[in-house]
Amino acid sequence: MKTVVSKKEPHRLISRWLPCKIVTLAAVAAMFTHLTAIAGPTEQAKRMHDRLTGVPADATTLEQMQNLIEQGDNIEAAYIAMDNPAFYNVTLKNWVTPWTNEEADIFAPLNDYTATVIGMARDDVDFRLVLSGNILYVGDNALNIPAYGVDNNEHYQALEDQEIDLSQALVATTQTAVTGLPETATAGVMTTRAAAKSFFKDGTNRAMFRFTLMNHLCTDLEGVKDTSRAPDRIRQDVSRSPGGDSRIFLNSCIGCHSGMDPLAQAFAYYEYSYNSDADPDGLSGRLSYNMAGQNDAITGSRVTAKHQINSNNFPYGYVIQNDQWDNYWRAGINKNLGWDENLPGSGSGAKTMGQELAHSEQFAQCQVKKVFKNVCLRSPQDGDDWTQVDSMVGNFKNSGYQIKRVFADAANYCKGS
Protein backbone atom coordinates (compact mmCIF):
# COMPACT_ATOMS: atom_id res chain seq x y z
CA MET A 1 0.00 0.00 0.00
CA LYS A 2 1.45 3.37 -1.05
CA THR A 3 2.02 5.88 1.72
CA VAL A 4 0.33 9.23 1.07
CA VAL A 5 2.07 12.21 2.61
CA SER A 6 0.17 15.43 3.18
CA LYS A 7 2.21 18.44 2.13
CA LYS A 8 0.04 20.65 4.32
CA GLU A 9 0.94 18.93 7.56
CA PRO A 10 4.74 18.40 7.68
CA HIS A 11 4.67 18.58 11.49
CA ARG A 12 2.49 15.49 11.65
CA LEU A 13 4.85 13.59 9.37
CA ILE A 14 7.80 14.52 11.55
CA SER A 15 5.95 13.58 14.71
CA ARG A 16 5.13 10.17 13.25
CA TRP A 17 8.80 9.62 12.48
CA LEU A 18 10.22 11.16 15.63
CA PRO A 19 8.70 10.27 18.98
CA CYS A 20 11.18 12.58 20.67
CA LYS A 21 10.57 16.31 20.90
CA ILE A 22 13.86 17.41 19.35
CA VAL A 23 14.09 17.20 15.56
CA THR A 24 17.71 16.65 14.53
CA LEU A 25 19.17 17.30 11.10
CA ALA A 26 19.97 13.60 10.80
CA ALA A 27 16.33 12.74 11.49
CA VAL A 28 15.05 15.22 8.93
CA ALA A 29 17.52 13.81 6.39
CA ALA A 30 16.23 10.33 7.16
CA MET A 31 12.69 11.56 6.66
CA PHE A 32 13.46 12.91 3.22
CA THR A 33 15.34 9.74 2.34
CA HIS A 34 12.10 7.89 3.09
CA LEU A 35 10.12 10.31 0.94
CA THR A 36 12.57 9.80 -1.91
CA ALA A 37 12.21 6.06 -1.64
CA ILE A 38 8.43 6.23 -2.03
CA ALA A 39 8.36 8.87 -4.79
CA GLY A 40 6.10 8.14 -7.76
CA PRO A 41 6.52 9.45 -11.35
CA THR A 42 4.98 12.84 -10.51
CA GLU A 43 7.18 13.37 -7.47
CA GLN A 44 10.20 12.14 -9.44
CA ALA A 45 9.52 14.61 -12.25
CA LYS A 46 9.15 17.46 -9.77
CA ARG A 47 12.32 16.56 -7.95
CA MET A 48 14.27 16.14 -11.18
CA HIS A 49 13.13 19.54 -12.45
CA ASP A 50 13.80 21.25 -9.12
CA ARG A 51 17.31 19.83 -8.87
CA LEU A 52 18.22 20.78 -12.45
CA THR A 53 16.69 24.25 -12.60
CA GLY A 54 15.93 25.46 -9.09
CA VAL A 55 12.40 26.46 -10.15
CA PRO A 56 9.10 24.54 -10.26
CA ALA A 57 8.01 23.01 -13.55
CA ASP A 58 4.89 24.30 -15.28
CA ALA A 59 1.99 21.89 -15.73
CA THR A 60 2.79 21.03 -19.35
CA THR A 61 6.45 20.34 -18.69
CA LEU A 62 5.66 18.30 -15.60
CA GLU A 63 3.19 16.16 -17.55
CA GLN A 64 5.72 15.57 -20.33
CA MET A 65 8.38 14.55 -17.85
CA GLN A 66 5.99 12.34 -15.90
CA ASN A 67 4.94 10.52 -19.06
CA LEU A 68 8.53 9.90 -20.06
CA ILE A 69 9.41 8.61 -16.59
CA GLU A 70 6.44 6.25 -16.70
CA GLN A 71 7.75 4.97 -20.03
CA GLY A 72 11.20 4.45 -18.53
CA ASP A 73 12.79 7.29 -20.53
CA ASN A 74 14.23 9.09 -17.54
CA ILE A 75 17.16 10.69 -19.36
CA GLU A 76 14.88 12.33 -21.91
CA ALA A 77 12.78 13.66 -19.04
CA ALA A 78 15.90 15.28 -17.60
CA TYR A 79 16.70 16.88 -20.95
CA ILE A 80 13.23 18.43 -21.05
CA ALA A 81 13.92 19.97 -17.65
CA MET A 82 17.22 21.34 -18.94
CA ASP A 83 15.36 23.23 -21.67
CA ASN A 84 14.30 25.66 -18.96
CA PRO A 85 16.40 28.87 -19.12
CA ALA A 86 17.02 28.63 -15.37
CA PHE A 87 19.27 25.63 -16.00
CA TYR A 88 21.66 27.96 -17.83
CA ASN A 89 21.12 31.27 -16.02
CA VAL A 90 21.09 29.80 -12.53
CA THR A 91 22.24 26.20 -12.20
CA LEU A 92 25.14 26.25 -14.64
CA LYS A 93 26.16 29.80 -13.78
CA ASN A 94 26.33 28.98 -10.07
CA TRP A 95 28.16 25.74 -10.83
CA VAL A 96 30.86 27.43 -12.91
CA THR A 97 31.32 30.84 -11.29
CA PRO A 98 33.41 29.66 -8.29
CA TRP A 99 36.01 28.27 -10.73
CA THR A 100 36.64 31.75 -12.14
CA ASN A 101 38.19 33.36 -9.07
CA GLU A 102 40.61 32.46 -6.29
CA GLU A 103 38.00 33.09 -3.59
CA ALA A 104 35.61 30.57 -5.20
CA ASP A 105 32.96 33.28 -4.93
CA ILE A 106 29.65 32.02 -6.33
CA PHE A 107 28.38 35.61 -6.52
CA ALA A 108 31.10 36.85 -8.86
CA PRO A 109 29.74 38.55 -12.01
CA LEU A 110 29.06 36.68 -15.22
CA ASN A 111 32.20 36.71 -17.38
CA ASP A 112 33.72 35.15 -20.48
CA TYR A 113 34.92 32.06 -18.56
CA THR A 114 31.46 31.33 -17.15
CA ALA A 115 29.63 32.12 -20.39
CA THR A 116 31.96 29.89 -22.39
CA VAL A 117 31.31 26.88 -20.16
CA ILE A 118 27.55 27.54 -20.27
CA GLY A 119 27.64 27.77 -24.06
CA MET A 120 29.68 24.59 -24.38
CA ALA A 121 27.16 22.76 -22.19
CA ARG A 122 24.21 24.05 -24.20
CA ASP A 123 25.77 23.05 -27.53
CA ASP A 124 27.03 19.66 -26.33
CA VAL A 125 30.63 20.57 -27.17
CA ASP A 126 33.27 18.01 -26.19
CA PHE A 127 33.88 19.24 -22.64
CA ARG A 128 37.58 18.38 -22.80
CA LEU A 129 37.97 21.46 -25.02
CA VAL A 130 37.32 23.56 -21.91
CA LEU A 131 41.10 23.49 -21.37
CA SER A 132 42.34 23.65 -24.96
CA GLY A 133 39.75 24.93 -27.42
CA ASN A 134 39.91 28.08 -29.53
CA ILE A 135 36.44 28.83 -28.29
CA LEU A 136 34.58 31.73 -26.71
CA TYR A 137 30.90 32.48 -26.14
CA VAL A 138 29.60 36.03 -26.39
CA GLY A 139 26.19 37.66 -26.49
CA ASP A 140 24.43 37.88 -29.85
CA ASN A 141 25.22 41.00 -31.88
CA ALA A 142 21.51 41.80 -32.02
CA LEU A 143 21.45 42.48 -28.29
CA ASN A 144 21.60 46.08 -27.17
CA ILE A 145 24.66 45.64 -24.97
CA PRO A 146 28.32 46.76 -25.11
CA ALA A 147 30.59 44.76 -27.39
CA TYR A 148 33.07 42.25 -25.94
CA GLY A 149 35.96 44.15 -24.40
CA VAL A 150 39.48 42.77 -24.03
CA ASP A 151 40.01 45.16 -21.12
CA ASN A 152 36.63 45.14 -19.35
CA ASN A 153 33.69 42.91 -18.41
CA GLU A 154 30.90 45.25 -19.51
CA HIS A 155 29.59 42.89 -22.16
CA TYR A 156 28.86 40.10 -19.69
CA GLN A 157 27.79 42.43 -16.93
CA ALA A 158 25.08 43.75 -19.25
CA LEU A 159 23.93 40.21 -20.04
CA GLU A 160 23.55 39.61 -16.31
CA ASP A 161 22.06 42.99 -15.40
CA GLN A 162 19.38 42.69 -18.08
CA GLU A 163 18.66 39.07 -17.08
CA ILE A 164 19.04 37.96 -20.68
CA ASP A 165 18.24 34.30 -21.37
CA LEU A 166 21.65 32.69 -21.82
CA SER A 167 20.14 29.60 -23.39
CA GLN A 168 19.22 31.77 -26.38
CA ALA A 169 21.59 34.76 -26.28
CA LEU A 170 25.02 33.13 -26.32
CA VAL A 171 26.80 32.70 -29.65
CA ALA A 172 29.91 30.62 -30.26
CA THR A 173 32.96 32.33 -31.69
CA THR A 174 36.74 31.95 -31.39
CA GLN A 175 39.22 33.66 -29.16
CA THR A 176 41.31 34.29 -32.25
CA ALA A 177 38.50 36.31 -33.85
CA VAL A 178 37.61 38.31 -30.74
CA THR A 179 40.78 38.73 -28.69
CA GLY A 180 43.44 38.40 -31.37
CA LEU A 181 45.26 35.46 -29.77
CA PRO A 182 46.91 33.15 -32.29
CA GLU A 183 45.17 29.79 -32.50
CA THR A 184 48.12 27.99 -30.94
CA ALA A 185 47.94 30.26 -27.88
CA THR A 186 44.26 29.58 -27.14
CA ALA A 187 43.57 27.15 -24.31
CA GLY A 188 39.86 27.15 -23.56
CA VAL A 189 38.86 28.93 -20.37
CA MET A 190 42.47 29.27 -19.26
CA THR A 191 42.96 32.00 -21.86
CA THR A 192 39.75 33.90 -21.16
CA ARG A 193 40.04 37.40 -19.72
CA ALA A 194 38.35 36.34 -16.46
CA ALA A 195 40.84 33.52 -15.88
CA ALA A 196 43.77 35.78 -16.72
CA LYS A 197 42.56 38.44 -14.28
CA SER A 198 42.30 35.89 -11.48
CA PHE A 199 45.24 33.59 -12.16
CA PHE A 200 47.78 35.37 -14.41
CA LYS A 201 47.68 38.65 -12.48
CA ASP A 202 51.01 39.14 -10.67
CA GLY A 203 52.74 36.07 -9.24
CA THR A 204 54.49 33.52 -11.44
CA ASN A 205 51.52 32.05 -13.35
CA ARG A 206 51.65 28.97 -11.13
CA ALA A 207 48.24 30.04 -9.81
CA MET A 208 46.69 29.25 -13.18
CA PHE A 209 48.02 25.72 -12.97
CA ARG A 210 47.04 25.19 -9.33
CA PHE A 211 43.47 26.42 -9.75
CA THR A 212 43.08 24.45 -12.97
CA LEU A 213 43.99 21.34 -11.01
CA MET A 214 41.52 22.24 -8.29
CA ASN A 215 38.64 23.15 -10.58
CA HIS A 216 39.07 20.59 -13.33
CA LEU A 217 40.91 17.65 -11.78
CA CYS A 218 39.43 18.01 -8.27
CA THR A 219 42.76 18.02 -6.48
CA ASP A 220 45.02 20.61 -4.94
CA LEU A 221 48.79 20.30 -5.10
CA GLU A 222 48.90 18.34 -1.85
CA GLY A 223 46.92 15.63 -3.59
CA VAL A 224 49.59 15.14 -6.25
CA LYS A 225 52.65 15.65 -4.06
CA ASP A 226 55.43 13.26 -5.05
CA THR A 227 58.95 13.74 -3.68
CA SER A 228 60.34 11.02 -5.96
CA ARG A 229 60.25 13.18 -9.11
CA ALA A 230 63.43 14.82 -10.42
CA PRO A 231 63.78 18.45 -9.26
CA ASP A 232 65.71 19.63 -12.34
CA ARG A 233 62.94 21.97 -13.59
CA ILE A 234 62.27 23.77 -10.32
CA ARG A 235 62.80 27.49 -10.84
CA GLN A 236 65.23 29.87 -9.16
CA ASP A 237 62.56 31.54 -7.03
CA VAL A 238 62.08 28.40 -4.92
CA SER A 239 64.52 28.36 -2.01
CA ARG A 240 66.30 25.05 -1.49
CA SER A 241 66.57 25.73 2.25
CA PRO A 242 63.47 27.63 3.43
CA GLY A 243 64.21 29.21 6.78
CA GLY A 244 67.69 27.76 6.55
CA ASP A 245 66.44 24.17 6.67
CA SER A 246 66.99 22.14 3.49
CA ARG A 247 64.87 19.31 4.87
CA ILE A 248 61.75 21.41 4.26
CA PHE A 249 62.58 21.61 0.58
CA LEU A 250 63.49 17.93 0.27
CA ASN A 251 60.45 16.65 2.13
CA SER A 252 57.83 19.19 1.14
CA CYS A 253 58.51 21.83 -1.53
CA ILE A 254 60.05 19.40 -3.98
CA GLY A 255 56.96 17.22 -3.88
CA CYS A 256 54.80 19.86 -5.57
CA HIS A 257 57.29 21.92 -7.57
CA SER A 258 59.03 18.99 -9.27
CA GLY A 259 55.82 18.17 -11.12
CA MET A 260 54.12 21.56 -11.24
CA ASP A 261 56.98 23.66 -12.60
CA PRO A 262 57.60 21.58 -15.76
CA LEU A 263 53.86 21.68 -16.54
CA ALA A 264 53.26 25.34 -15.63
CA GLN A 265 56.07 26.32 -17.99
CA ALA A 266 53.36 26.13 -20.65
CA PHE A 267 52.26 29.60 -19.46
CA ALA A 268 55.68 31.20 -20.03
CA TYR A 269 54.48 33.72 -22.63
CA TYR A 270 51.33 34.94 -20.84
CA GLU A 271 50.73 37.96 -18.64
CA TYR A 272 47.81 39.95 -17.28
CA SER A 273 48.71 43.53 -18.14
CA TYR A 274 47.31 46.41 -16.07
CA ASN A 275 48.33 49.69 -14.47
CA SER A 276 49.14 48.78 -10.88
CA ASP A 277 49.14 52.43 -9.77
CA ALA A 278 45.93 53.69 -11.38
CA ASP A 279 44.11 50.34 -11.36
CA PRO A 280 45.49 48.16 -8.53
CA ASP A 281 42.69 45.60 -8.83
CA GLY A 282 43.29 45.18 -12.55
CA LEU A 283 39.68 45.93 -13.46
CA SER A 284 40.80 47.44 -16.77
CA GLY A 285 43.57 44.96 -17.45
CA ARG A 286 43.82 42.49 -20.30
CA LEU A 287 45.43 39.19 -21.18
CA SER A 288 48.66 39.66 -23.13
CA TYR A 289 50.76 37.09 -24.96
CA ASN A 290 54.24 37.38 -26.40
CA MET A 291 54.05 36.17 -29.99
CA ALA A 292 56.99 34.99 -32.07
CA GLY A 293 59.52 37.79 -32.38
CA GLN A 294 58.03 39.71 -29.45
CA ASN A 295 60.63 39.66 -26.69
CA ASP A 296 60.30 40.81 -23.10
CA ALA A 297 62.61 43.72 -22.25
CA ILE A 298 63.84 42.03 -19.06
CA THR A 299 64.26 38.40 -20.14
CA GLY A 300 65.34 39.11 -23.71
CA SER A 301 63.06 36.32 -24.91
CA ARG A 302 59.35 35.62 -25.28
CA VAL A 303 59.28 34.53 -21.64
CA THR A 304 57.53 37.14 -19.49
CA ALA A 305 59.52 38.81 -16.72
CA LYS A 306 57.45 37.25 -13.93
CA HIS A 307 59.04 33.89 -14.70
CA GLN A 308 62.46 35.12 -13.58
CA ILE A 309 61.54 37.00 -10.41
CA ASN A 310 63.32 36.26 -7.12
CA SER A 311 66.14 34.55 -8.99
CA ASN A 312 68.51 35.13 -6.07
CA ASN A 313 66.58 32.65 -3.93
CA PHE A 314 68.54 29.89 -5.68
CA PRO A 315 70.64 31.15 -8.61
CA TYR A 316 71.40 27.60 -9.73
CA GLY A 317 67.74 26.79 -10.24
CA TYR A 318 66.04 26.31 -13.58
CA VAL A 319 65.75 29.33 -15.89
CA ILE A 320 62.79 29.21 -18.27
CA GLN A 321 63.75 29.87 -21.88
CA ASN A 322 60.54 28.83 -23.68
CA ASP A 323 57.07 27.35 -23.13
CA GLN A 324 58.13 23.70 -23.43
CA TRP A 325 56.29 21.59 -20.86
CA ASP A 326 56.76 18.01 -19.69
CA ASN A 327 54.55 15.87 -17.50
CA TYR A 328 56.77 14.29 -14.84
CA TRP A 329 53.64 12.89 -13.24
CA ARG A 330 53.20 10.28 -15.95
CA ALA A 331 55.50 8.19 -13.75
CA GLY A 332 55.40 7.67 -10.00
CA ILE A 333 52.29 7.73 -7.85
CA ASN A 334 50.48 10.22 -10.09
CA LYS A 335 50.42 7.77 -12.95
CA ASN A 336 47.10 6.74 -11.38
CA LEU A 337 45.54 10.00 -12.63
CA GLY A 338 45.02 8.08 -15.85
CA TRP A 339 47.01 9.95 -18.48
CA ASP A 340 46.09 9.36 -22.12
CA GLU A 341 48.64 7.00 -23.63
CA ASN A 342 47.84 8.39 -27.09
CA LEU A 343 49.32 11.76 -26.10
CA PRO A 344 53.10 12.33 -25.91
CA GLY A 345 53.19 13.76 -22.39
CA SER A 346 55.10 16.84 -23.49
CA GLY A 347 54.67 19.79 -25.82
CA SER A 348 54.74 23.54 -26.22
CA GLY A 349 52.25 26.02 -24.83
CA ALA A 350 49.06 26.04 -22.81
CA LYS A 351 46.88 24.43 -25.49
CA THR A 352 48.70 21.10 -25.58
CA MET A 353 49.19 21.13 -21.82
CA GLY A 354 45.44 21.67 -21.42
CA GLN A 355 44.84 18.66 -23.64
CA GLU A 356 47.13 16.61 -21.41
CA LEU A 357 45.05 17.48 -18.34
CA ALA A 358 41.62 17.20 -19.96
CA HIS A 359 42.31 13.82 -21.56
CA SER A 360 43.13 12.24 -18.22
CA GLU A 361 40.83 9.87 -16.39
CA GLN A 362 40.97 12.23 -13.43
CA PHE A 363 39.41 15.01 -15.50
CA ALA A 364 36.40 12.86 -16.42
CA GLN A 365 35.99 11.64 -12.85
CA CYS A 366 36.19 15.21 -11.55
CA GLN A 367 33.42 16.56 -13.78
CA VAL A 368 31.13 13.71 -12.78
CA LYS A 369 31.75 14.15 -9.06
CA LYS A 370 31.15 17.90 -9.29
CA VAL A 371 27.87 17.40 -11.13
CA PHE A 372 26.79 14.66 -8.73
CA LYS A 373 27.28 16.99 -5.79
CA ASN A 374 25.53 19.88 -7.55
CA VAL A 375 22.44 17.88 -8.47
CA CYS A 376 22.19 15.42 -5.59
CA LEU A 377 23.18 18.06 -3.02
CA ARG A 378 25.81 15.79 -1.51
CA SER A 379 29.03 14.07 -2.43
CA PRO A 380 29.06 10.35 -3.35
CA GLN A 381 28.99 8.37 -0.13
CA ASP A 382 28.38 4.63 -0.35
CA GLY A 383 29.00 1.76 -2.72
CA ASP A 384 25.87 2.45 -4.75
CA ASP A 385 26.88 6.09 -5.21
CA TRP A 386 30.37 5.18 -6.43
CA THR A 387 28.95 2.56 -8.78
CA GLN A 388 26.74 5.31 -10.16
CA VAL A 389 29.74 7.62 -10.55
CA ASP A 390 31.54 4.96 -12.58
CA SER A 391 28.47 4.53 -14.76
CA MET A 392 28.20 8.30 -15.27
CA VAL A 393 31.86 8.52 -16.27
CA GLY A 394 31.25 5.84 -18.89
CA ASN A 395 28.20 7.65 -20.23
CA PHE A 396 30.12 10.93 -20.24
CA LYS A 397 32.80 9.41 -22.46
CA ASN A 398 30.35 7.57 -24.71
CA SER A 399 28.37 10.77 -25.30
CA GLY A 400 31.44 12.52 -26.66
CA TYR A 401 32.03 14.22 -23.30
CA GLN A 402 28.72 16.09 -23.25
CA ILE A 403 28.35 17.61 -19.79
CA LYS A 404 24.56 17.78 -20.01
CA ARG A 405 24.48 13.99 -20.15
CA VAL A 406 26.21 13.96 -16.76
CA PHE A 407 23.58 16.32 -15.33
CA ALA A 408 20.84 14.10 -16.75
CA ASP A 409 22.33 10.97 -15.21
CA ALA A 410 22.72 12.65 -11.82
CA ALA A 411 19.13 13.92 -11.87
CA ASN A 412 17.87 10.48 -12.77
CA TYR A 413 19.84 8.82 -9.97
CA CYS A 414 18.69 11.27 -7.33
CA LYS A 415 15.05 11.55 -8.37
CA GLY A 416 13.92 8.72 -6.08
CA SER A 417 12.26 5.45 -7.03
Side-chain angles (χ1 to χ4, degrees):
M1 178 176 178
K2 184 176 180 180
T3 302
V4 178
V5 177
S6 170
K7 297 180 180 179
K8 297 181 180 179
E9 297 180 289
H11 60 285
R12 292 190 179 182
L13 176 61
I14 293 174
S15 65
R16 286 169 54 196
W17 273 74
L18 302 174
C20 58
K21 295 181 180 179
I22 300 177
V23 180
T24 65
L25 289 177
V28 173
M31 176 187 73
F32 283 107
T33 298
H34 174 73
L35 293 178
T36 298
I38 63 174
T42 301
E43 291 79 7
Q44 291 172 342
K46 288 180 180 178
R47 184 175 296 113
M48 187 180 284
H49 195 279
D50 289 349
R51 294 287 178 88
L52 288 171
T53 69
V55 297
D58 59 49
T60 301
T61 300
L62 188 62
E63 182 178 3
Q64 290 176 324
M65 293 178 64
Q66 178 183 339
N67 290 338
L68 286 167
I69 291 172
E70 288 174 343
Q71 297 165 18
D73 200 348
N74 301 312
I75 300 302
E76 185 60 31
Y79 272 88
I80 287 178
M82 288 187 287
D83 285 339
N84 190 301
F87 175 69
Y88 300 93
N89 283 56
V90 180
T91 302
L92 283 180
K93 179 183 179 296
N94 290 344
W95 185 58
V96 178
T97 299
W99 314 344
T100 69
N101 59 90
E102 290 193 9
E103 297 78 20
D105 182 7
I106 196 173
F107 300 110
L110 182 72
N111 54 58
D112 54 354
Y113 186 141
T114 312
T116 296
V117 176
I118 292 172
M120 291 177 67
R122 182 198 67 187
D123 295 344
D124 291 327
V125 176
D126 184 333
F127 204 68
R128 294 174 297 180
L129 292 175
V130 77
L131 297 182
S132 65
N134 182 10
I135 188 168
L136 185 73
Y137 277 80
V138 298
D140 193 291
N141 287 333
L143 297 170
N144 185 27
I145 59 175
Y148 179 94
V150 295
D151 58 0
N152 64 75
N153 193 50
E154 294 176 6
H155 179 77
Y156 296 97
Q157 189 66 61
L159 284 171
E160 185 163 49
D161 291 344
Q162 297 180 31
E163 299 181 348
I164 293 174
D165 180 1
L166 299 180
S167 70
Q168 301 296 321
L170 294 178
V171 176
T173 184
T174 63
Q175 295 178 25
T176 298
V178 177
T179 69
L181 280 176
E183 199 279 337
T184 54
T186 61
V189 296
M190 292 192 292
T191 47
T192 57
R193 179 182 182 273
K197 179 178 178 294
S198 291
F199 311 126
F200 281 153
K201 181 176 178 285
D202 305 327
T204 59
N205 286 355
R206 290 186 180 101
M208 180 67 77
F209 182 77
R210 180 195 173 204
F211 281 89
T212 298
L213 279 186
M214 293 169 62
N215 295 322
H216 297 286
L217 272 75
C218 293
T219 182
D220 203 344
L221 289 167
E222 281 295 319
V224 288
K225 188 175 180 180
D226 182 3
T227 57
S228 71
R229 300 299 89 207
D232 59 310
R233 296 278 284 278
I234 300 180
R235 302 178 207 169
Q236 294 174 310
D237 64 325
V238 179
S239 173
R240 270 46 172 189
S241 55
D245 190 345
S246 61
R247 293 173 301 176
I248 297 175
F249 172 78
L250 293 172
N251 293 288
S252 182
C253 306
I254 194 175
C256 298
H257 283 280
S258 60
M260 171 174 59
D261 282 14
L263 284 163
Q265 189 171 330
F267 303 128
Y269 302 157
Y270 296 91
E271 176 64 281
Y272 185 72
S273 301
Y274 70 104
N275 187 320
S276 58
D277 294 325
D279 180 26
D281 293 326
L283 298 179
S284 299
R286 60 178 294 172
L287 171 66
S288 61
Y289 175 80
N290 287 342
M291 301 187 191
Q294 185 178 356
N295 292 340
D296 185 278
I298 295 177
T299 67
S301 69
R302 294 175 67 184
V303 177
T304 54
K306 63 169 52 181
H307 288 88
Q308 294 185 14
I309 63 174
N310 300 321
S311 59
N312 289 332
N313 283 349
F314 188 71
Y316 304 105
Y318 186 74
V319 180
I320 293 178
Q321 302 292 339
N322 52 43
D323 65 351
Q324 172 72 34
W325 62 268
D326 293 280
N327 186 0
Y328 283 22
W329 288 333
R330 277 182 168 252
I333 58 175
N334 291 313
K335 185 177 181 179
N336 63 11
L337 296 178
W339 306 107
D340 187 346
E341 295 298 327
N342 295 315
L343 294 177
S346 62
S348 297
K351 177 182 287 292
T352 54
M353 197 275 287
Q355 290 172 342
E356 175 80 347
L357 299 179
H359 282 247
S360 68
E361 183 69 21
Q362 182 77 5
F363 175 86
Q365 289 272 348
C366 178
Q367 311 319 306
V368 168
K369 288 188 286 188
K370 289 188 300 183
V371 172
F372 186 104
K373 184 174 183 179
N374 180 273
V375 175
C376 297
L377 307 180
R378 59 180 176 80
S379 298
Q381 297 173 347
D382 56 23
D384 289 341
D385 287 354
W386 287 110
T387 297
Q388 174 64 16
V389 166
D390 290 341
S391 175
M392 289 166 65
V393 170
N395 291 339
F396 185 34
K397 295 176 180 178
N398 293 335
S399 71
Y401 292 86
Q402 296 177 8
I403 199 67
K404 277 197 301 186
R405 176 56 198 258
V406 183
F407 275 90
D409 279 341
N412 178 40
Y413 181 70
C414 291
K415 74 181 185 309
S417 59

